[in-house]
Amino acid sequence: MSLFSRKKIEEAPDTLTHLYLNPENSSWANFGYWKDTDDYPAACKTLAVLLGRKAELGPGLKVLDLGFGCGDQFFVWKEEFSVAFGDLTGVNASSVQTEFAKNLLDRRGFSPSDSRPTLILSPIETALPSFADQSFDRILCLDSAAFFSDRTEFCKEAFRILKPGGRLVSAELILNESPLHLLDSWFRSAVCALSSIPKGNRVTTDSLSQILRGSGFTLEDGFAFLEKDVFEGFSRFLKRATAKPRTAIPERIANNYARFADFLGSERMRRYFRFVLYSAQKPF
């Protein structure tokens, strides 16, 4: 989440730094949807619910969650949409997050005989080719798709492994399509690089639409723009979480989060980025 730290490894999207932002028994790591709350776990859960509704999740669907973080959304989708744990597969490139998610399942009282999600430790680009054609009904990306290495290759593989009528559904950060002056364009590229957003995955609504359609998808209902209820709410929360006196967050990490909060709530952030929710369907 930190955009400006030179020692960015601790704040990279594959670590557990986000636990400093969570209360006990919570391990969310997304931007959150803040329309009716100022509580971080509630905002993160709401975003997971919005994604589930957009996907029309339900019992019996085979679901692939890419970049699952620490797995809090698994419980939301089970409780809200009756998705069976045995029908959930998650892929995550982070060993510490994957291990944390496994321990989370254990801590919540599952016995070895219980059905549970299949958790795969692997980069997305390595895992997807390993799945058979037409393996899943839904592919979900909860604030994770911005970190994939190549959007075109990802969409081609997603299309292949979805069943006819299946959907790729994502809530994610993308580039604002409005033209930028040279200095702003350079600065946004630097922000993307420091935020681990690869060059091959810096998309706008126009370029993402073209990639999805070029892969065979039908984009259902276009894009819903959520940034009004995402950026400012998360910014306000981070400012509260890092305000002095600081007791829970190490000072350097708190300083990085505070700088990110300033940028996140700025006019420049809104000019550079958008936060979208969309569903793309594989035709029957």
Side-chain angles (χ1 to χ4, degrees):
M1 292 179 183
S2 171
L3 300 179
F4 306 108
S5 171
R6 291 185 179 181
K7 295 181 181 179
K8 64 189 292 292
I9 187 66
E10 289 190 20
E11 287 79 43
D14 61 349
T15 72
L16 296 176
T17 305
H18 61 275
L19 295 181
Y20 287 117
L21 303 177
N22 282 270
E24 189 176 359
N25 299 320
S26 176
S27 51
W28 290 100
N30 67 60
F31 270 80
Y33 184 78
W34 299 85
K35 186 174 182 179
D36 298 312
T37 187
D38 59 2
D39 177 73
Y40 185 54
C44 293
K45 178 180 177 180
T46 300
L47 189 62
V49 170
L50 289 176
L51 187 71
R53 288 175 183 166
K54 190 70 174 178
E56 296 185 351
L57 293 181
L61 295 177
K62 298 293 184 181
V63 178
L64 175 63
D65 182 4
L66 297 177
F68 59 79
C70 290
D72 297 67
Q73 65 269 23
F74 298 153
F75 300 92
V76 174
W77 294 335
K78 182 177 185 292
E79 294 164 4
E80 297 285 337
F81 305 104
S82 300
V83 175
F85 276 167
D87 289 334
L88 274 169
T89 299
V91 178
N92 195 330
S94 167
S95 59
V96 293
Q97 290 184 0
T98 301
E99 189 64 26
F100 188 98
K102 291 178 180 178
N103 291 335
L104 178 65
L105 290 166
D106 292 337
R107 290 197 305 271
R108 295 202 178 181
F110 291 91
S111 70
S113 61
D114 286 336
S115 175
R116 62 179 58 209
T118 300
L119 303 185
I120 299 171
L121 173 60
S122 171
I124 303 300
E125 59 271 18
T126 302
L128 291 185
S130 70
F131 295 120
D133 293 356
Q134 301 182 20
S135 297
F136 298 99
D137 299 287
R138 300 289 187 271
I139 297 175
L140 304 182
C141 305
L142 179 60
D143 197 6
S144 59
F147 303 113
F148 300 166
S149 61
D150 186 292
R151 186 61 64 113
T152 299
E153 288 303 312
F154 162 69
C155 288
K156 289 179 180 178
E157 282 296 298
F159 187 87
R160 179 186 65 82
I161 65 177
L162 277 170
K163 300 176 184 179
R167 299 180 189 177
L168 164 63
V169 187
S170 180
E172 62 177 274
L173 186 74
I174 65 169
L175 305 187
N176 194 323
E177 59 273 14
S178 299
L180 298 175
H181 294 299
L182 182 61
L183 182 60
D184 272 331
S185 181
W186 177 88
F187 191 84
R188 183 172 68 181
S189 294
V191 170
C192 288
L194 288 168
S195 303
S196 302
I197 302 174
K199 287 185 178 180
N201 197 25
R202 298 173 191 175
V203 295
T204 64
T205 52
D206 288 342
S207 62
L208 181 52
S209 295
Q210 292 175 11
I211 293 170
L212 288 167
R213 293 186 176 113
S215 302
F217 286 105
T218 299
L219 187 61
E220 299 180 301
D221 304 321
F223 296 93
F225 297 102
L226 307 184
E227 59 267 17
K228 178 181 177 182
D229 296 305
V230 171
F231 294 163
E232 291 185 11
F234 194 26
S235 173
R236 290 193 299 269
F237 164 74
L238 287 175
K239 289 178 180 179
R240 293 195 304 272
T242 57
K244 294 182 179 181
R246 297 166 179 161
T247 56
I249 306 178
E251 185 173 4
R252 185 176 61 80
I253 294 175
N255 288 338
N256 288 332
Y257 274 133
R259 287 193 290 270
F260 179 54
D262 288 339
F263 179 76
L264 187 60
S266 70
E267 184 275 335
R268 179 174 267 179
M269 178 70 185
R270 294 186 294 274
R271 195 150 39 93
Y272 289 177
F273 298 101
R274 309 201 75 165
F275 199 91
V276 296
L277 174 66
Y278 64 90
S279 174
Q281 185 175 46
K282 180 174 181 177
F284 286 95

